Amino acid sequence: MRVPSTKLIGSVRFGWQLVVACLLTTPLVMAADWPLSPVQRVSLSRGEILVDADVNFERNRGDVRAAVRIAAPASTIFAVMTDCAAALKFVPHLQRCVVLETGPDRSWELVEHVVDLSWYIPRTRYVFRADYDPGHSVSFHQVRGDLRANEGLWEFVPEDAGTATIVTYRVHIVPRYYVPRWLVRSSLKRELPALLESLRRYCESGAGVAAEGGAK
């Protein structure tokens, strides 16, 4: 089932959140590149959040793409998204975020997440590797855990002389257990946009600037 692009007027750590991840997020198979159209860019400039998903309910898997415009430099957004302490404040349902290992040149990390959604979805634990291109992108793939597959990419495209950034997100997720269709639809409509809105608010606040300062 194709879920059309959703535009929400208003305004991951990487793995976007299991509400959507488990609902939908094979090596290096991600949603295809997403060149934003002029119309989509106008929507983003108005504060809308774009979500596009291709969900296969029969095979219990899916590909998701999303985008948001944030009035903050890419360096600030990158610092927030690579900070476990910050993730625990703005990522819904995230109960634990711990860096287990860091590469000698700090270009990658192994990170553990524990997500507790509610009574109808099992508490989920997984470890993923995040590879960093500071200020440009964060790619991730699961190393072990309760998902069959969870891999994707965050990209940061500067705008307005670097004072704003378009953040795009692509993920391919395959859970190990059945996820009801109503939960998939609910998450695509509410949970993912809520996560991106939370990321935007955090990055545009003083907390985002503080996270960037702490990362230096």
Side-chain angles (χ1 to χ4, degrees), residues 41-76:
R41 288 182 175 274
V42 169
S43 296
L44 291 171
S45 70
R46 292 173 177 166
E48 299 171 12
I49 293 173
L50 306 181
V51 177
D52 182 79
D54 189 2
V55 183
N56 187 323
F57 287 109
E58 286 68 32
R59 301 186 67 184
N60 201 34
R61 64 182 61 193
D63 295 279
V64 179
R65 302 180 297 187
V68 63
R69 187 179 188 275
I70 299 176
S75 58
T76 298

Side-chain angles (χ1 to χ4, degrees), residues 29-46:
V29 178
M30 292 185 292
D33 289 346
W34 194 16
L36 296 170
S37 70
V39 172
Q40 288 173 319
R41 288 182 175 274
V42 169
S43 296
L44 291 171
S45 70
R46 292 173 177 166

Side-chain angles (χ1 to χ4, degrees), residues 19-148:
V19 168
V20 182
C22 288
L23 311 178
L24 307 171
T25 234
T26 55
L28 296 181
V29 178
M30 292 185 292
D33 289 346
W34 194 16
L36 296 170
S37 70
V39 172
Q40 288 173 319
R41 288 182 175 274
V42 169
S43 296
L44 291 171
S45 70
R46 292 173 177 166
E48 299 171 12
I49 293 173
L50 306 181
V51 177
D52 182 79
D54 189 2
V55 183
N56 187 323
F57 287 109
E58 286 68 32
R59 301 186 67 184
N60 201 34
R61 64 182 61 193
D63 295 279
V64 179
R65 302 180 297 187
V68 63
R69 187 179 188 275
I70 299 176
S75 58
T76 298
I77 301 168
F78 179 85
V80 168
M81 294 187 62
T82 55
D83 180 0
C84 263
L88 289 167
K89 296 177 181 177
F90 76 83
V91 179
H93 311 291
L94 183 62
Q95 301 295 308
R96 176 179 169 85
C97 178
V98 177
V99 176
L100 303 178
E101 186 178 349
T102 302
D105 58 356
R106 304 183 65 83
S107 66
W108 60 269
E109 289 180 329
L110 290 184
V111 183
E112 180 186 52
H113 274 187
V114 176
V115 179
D116 193 359
L117 297 175
S118 67
W119 60 270
Y120 47 79
I121 291 291
R123 191 166 185 255
T124 305
R125 182 189 306 270
Y126 57 97
V127 175
F128 61 90
R129 170 168 167 151
D131 289 279
Y132 303 139
D133 183 359
H136 296 92
S137 67
V138 176
S139 62
F140 60 91
H141 67 273
Q142 179 173 289
V143 174
R144 59 184 179 271
D146 295 334
L147 299 173
R148 292 189 187 278

